[in-house]
Amino acid sequence: QPGDIALFLRLQAIPRHRSTREILATFQTMASVSAFLHTYLAVDLHVAEYLPPASEWDVFRFVNLVFFALGVSTLVALFFTTAPYGKYSRSGWGPTMNAKLAWMLMEAPSPLVFALTFLIGDKNTNTLPGLVFATMYLVHYINRSFIFPLTLKSKPYPVSVAALAVLFNIPNGYLNGRMIYHFMSTYSEDYVYSFQFVAGVAVFLFGMRVNWSSDAILRDLKEASKGEGYKIPRGGWFEYVSAANYFGEIVEWTGWAIATGSPSAAVFALWTAFNLGPRAVSHHKWYKRTFRAYPKERKALIPFVL
């Protein structure tokens, strides 16, 4: 606005006798941005006091956008390489650590950050929908962070991969929690009777059930093998897909996105698919290469489809 421009010019101590047209012409002919900053901004060391600070909402939207872009980049990258843990463990990824400890350290930031956003939140912390959402998120991650790792009997885990997981889980906990408990409108108590809420929670619980039961099948299979190597998983949703545990987790977070109606939850659901989808395809190819008797009708990730 003209008033803002005039204020800006006064703050920068630009001579008042110069016309706006002359000043703009000067700006356009600047040889570099650094010259402009030195000439017009370095004059007043307190100029930042007059510039509007970026709001948390601005930062939040930027982080959400970057988070989504990184998810797309991860999807592309994982079609060319496979994360080096589990059956794909290999050298060249730096030092390793105990797998149980790695899972705890890399997953724990998500529920901790989410719980913090709930505690400092000013919306939905006392509503029934908000309490249900907190329960859904924290039950999943308490299991993933502190219960599931204790059942692992895996090879050492690369520290670099664990560090990347931490860099995912911290912003993910913040984006999901802060959106629900600060930026979104308050859910009405009647929202729990809406089709969106009921359908989303049902999908979430179904996905969680598939995910947990599939993890149990893999755990029991590993214990039964007694060090004899990998076996073909059977039972449950493994009769339909090679990566039933991944299928369950993708369904789970899709239900979360539906129930909450949160853009950040939608990004999380997409991120889950971007990250686990390529690995499911790798699993499927590995099983088919390794076992001649591998069921031909079994798909990689989506029953009867993919």
Side-chain angles (χ1 to χ4, degrees):
Q1 299 296 325
D4 295 332
I5 294 174
L7 174 60
F8 177 79
L9 297 181
R10 286 199 298 273
L11 291 174
Q12 305 314 312
I14 295 176
R16 298 294 301 278
H17 66 271
R18 297 178 62 184
S19 69
T20 302
R21 179 175 298 178
E22 290 174 327
I23 294 170
L24 291 176
T26 302
F27 286 4
Q28 294 169 355
T29 57
M30 285 290 179
S32 66
V33 174
S34 61
F36 166 73
L37 295 175
H38 175 75
T39 305
Y40 290 100
L41 297 186
V43 174
D44 184 359
L45 297 178
H46 302 289
V47 67
E49 297 177 7
Y50 304 99
L51 300 178
S55 66
E56 185 186 357
W57 175 239
D58 293 330
V59 175
F60 183 93
R61 288 189 300 173
F62 176 76
V63 173
N64 215 26
L65 180 61
V66 171
F67 202 57
F68 175 74
L70 289 175
V72 175
S73 301
T74 298
L75 172 66
V76 175
L78 289 178
F79 276 111
F80 295 95
T81 186
T82 305
Y85 63 91
K87 59 174 62 71
Y88 308 108
S89 294
R90 57 190 184 274
S91 60
W93 288 78
T96 60
M97 62 187 298
N98 179 273
K100 294 181 180 181
L101 180 59
W103 273 92
M104 289 182 181
L105 292 177
M106 70 186 189
E107 296 289 344
S110 188
L112 294 176
V113 173
F114 185 92
L116 178 61
T117 66
F118 177 86
L119 292 174
I120 66 174
D122 53 3
K123 293 179 182 176
N124 297 309
T125 56
N126 294 316
T127 66
L128 182 56
L131 293 172
V132 171
F133 294 147
T135 302
M136 291 164 64
Y137 194 95
L138 293 176
V139 165
H140 170 90
Y141 269 106
I142 288 174
N143 172 70
R144 184 60 67 188
S145 304
F146 305 109
I147 300 175
F148 171 76
L150 297 178
T151 69
L152 291 175
K153 293 182 179 180
S154 299
K155 300 173 183 177
Y157 203 94
V159 174
S160 59
V161 177
L164 290 174
V166 171
L167 294 178
F168 167 83
N169 281 314
I170 291 176
N172 189 53
Y174 165 73
L175 292 171
N176 278 273
R178 198 59 171 159
M179 174 59 80
I180 294 173
Y181 301 111
H182 181 63
F183 291 117
M184 288 189 72
S185 300
T186 302
Y187 296 101
S188 69
E189 296 295 331
D190 291 338
Y191 181 66
V192 295
Y193 303 110
S194 68
F195 175 79
Q196 180 176 347
F197 179 88
V198 173
V201 172
V203 171
F204 178 90
L205 292 176
F206 169 72
M208 176 180 283
R209 170 62 180 168
V210 172
N211 179 242
W212 289 13
S213 63
S214 299
D215 283 342
I217 289 173
L218 292 175
R219 181 174 61 251
D220 293 343
L221 186 64
K222 183 169 289 188
E223 291 178 354
S225 68
K226 297 180 180 180
E228 296 178 358
Y230 289 96
K231 304 291 184 181
I232 298 175
R234 309 227 181 233
W237 286 84
F238 281 110
E239 296 301 320
Y240 304 98
V241 293
S242 297
N245 50 337
Y246 295 165
F247 166 66
E249 188 156 355
I250 292 172
V251 170
E252 186 178 354
W253 294 118
T254 299
W256 166 257
I258 294 170
T260 62
S262 162
S264 295
V267 170
F268 181 22
L270 289 172
W271 236 109
T272 304
F274 292 162
N275 183 42
L276 298 183
R279 192 169 179 86
V281 173
S282 297
H283 277 11
H284 190 62
K285 292 179 179 179
W286 184 89
Y287 279 123
K288 291 174 70 175
R289 286 196 310 268
T290 306
F291 302 103
R292 291 184 178 181
Y294 195 71
K296 295 181 179 180
E297 69 278 4
R298 192 176 295 187
K299 300 296 183 180
L301 180 64
I302 305 174
F304 313 111
V305 180
L306 174 66

